[in-house]
Amino acid sequence: MSSRSFLLDDALWGYVVDHSVKVDAVVARLTERTIALGGVAEMQIGPDQQAFLTMLTRFAGVTNAVEVGTFTGTSALCLARGLAPGGHLLCCDISEEWTAIASEAWAEAGVDHLIELCIAPALETLQALPTDPVIDLAFIDADKPGYASYYEELIPRLRPGGWVVADNTLWSGRITDAGAGDENTKALRAYNAHAAADDRVTTVLLAVADGLTISQKR
Ligand SMILES: C[S@@+](CC[C@H](N)C(=O)[O-])C[C@H]1O[C@@H](n2cnc3c(N)ncnc32)[C@H](O)[C@@H]1O
């Protein structure tokens, strides 16, 4: 099974999964293929977050979405499934190898026509986007030191009421561990502090999965 929240023991995790939308055959196969890659599989979002991303995208009426950090495509598949009719998802990643698996899964799920994949450093991709505020929702799940820069490129391009969702913002609890001073932990602390203090947005840090910092543009 892919990543589960560090906040839950086995019993609670099983209960959460048993009482949420069931993982379908496409995602189950994609999860198996991702696990076969080895330790990197822990980057894949888990079933609770999969269901939540689809629900949030649907709830927010998202037509125009951006994902920063695609890996083998699970979160993109979940975002695409929640898009409004005529919707579009731009996916940013630097790995041809991992996103090749993603593209196969998207085709199998019948959402490939909704997704545009851009293989390049995400900051370059975002900086090249038009500056009009047309993005409804952005999901950030790439290199942690890049989060703040991605956010700063995304906020002006977000429509009023649009959302930036940043993953792993509790960082398996290291976020409050005074002994953790590595680059990733420091970057995530800085990101959370910035999003919470930024008066362009309203921010909620949800204790879902590994932590989701959700910022809604005013
Ligand atoms: C945590 S994984 C994403 C997991 C994915 N959201 C999922 O649901 O399975 C992080 C991804 O960010 C990508 N990445 C790392 N640095 C990047 C950068 N500078 N620009 C774009 N993508 C990057 C990696 O190649 C990797 O696929």
Side-chain angles (χ1 to χ4, degrees):
M1 184 59 75
S2 57
S3 53
R4 77 165 212 213
S5 175
F6 70 97
L7 296 163
L8 304 176
D9 62 18
D10 287 346
L12 278 171
W13 172 245
Y15 188 87
V16 166
V17 172
D18 285 349
H19 293 81
S20 297
V21 178
K22 296 287 166 270
V23 168
D24 69 10
V26 178
V27 175
R29 272 192 293 278
L30 177 55
T31 300
E32 275 175 30
R33 285 196 73 181
T34 303
I35 288 171
L37 294 173
V40 292
E42 69 178 21
M43 295 199 293
Q44 183 187 32
I45 62 164
D48 53 343
Q49 196 176 345
Q50 293 165 17
F52 180 70
L53 283 185
T54 300
M55 191 176 278
L56 175 63
T57 309
R58 199 170 284 144
F59 165 77
V62 173
T63 301
N64 191 7
V66 174
E67 174 176 86
V68 181
T70 295
F71 188 42
T72 56
T74 308
S75 50
L77 174 47
C78 297
L79 294 168
R81 282 178 164 166
L83 289 173
H88 175 265
L89 169 63
L90 171 66
C91 286
C92 309
D93 207 288
I94 48 175
S95 172
E96 299 266 9
E97 180 198 345
W98 291 335
T99 57
I101 295 172
S103 296
E104 285 179 30
W106 299 336
E108 196 183 349
V111 297
D112 50 329
H113 62 292
L114 306 175
I115 301 176
E116 176 189 357
L117 174 62
C118 190
I119 301 292
L123 192 56
E124 289 176 16
T125 303
L126 296 179
Q127 285 171 338
L129 291 176
T131 52
D132 318 319
V134 295
I135 298 172
D136 300 303
L137 184 144
F139 180 56
I140 304 177
D141 187 17
D143 56 308
K144 307 315 168 195
Y147 272 35
S149 307
Y150 304 143
Y151 175 91
E152 283 303 324
E153 292 301 326
L154 287 163
I155 291 290
R157 294 173 169 86
L158 218 58
R159 67 157 167 85
W163 313 71
V164 174
V165 181
D167 198 17
N168 305 115
T169 53
L170 292 176
W171 207 222
S172 302
R174 291 191 291 281
I175 207 79
T176 54
D177 178 352
D182 59 280
E183 186 190 20
N184 288 333
T185 306
K186 285 198 277 190
L188 288 167
R189 284 179 188 142
Y191 181 85
N192 285 332
H194 182 54
D198 185 355
D199 60 14
R200 295 171 296 176
V201 298
T202 303
T203 291
V204 178
L205 202 173
L206 292 184
V208 171
D210 191 26
L212 283 178
T213 296
I214 303 188
S215 303
Q216 186 175 31
K217 188 170 176 180
R218 294 176 198 261

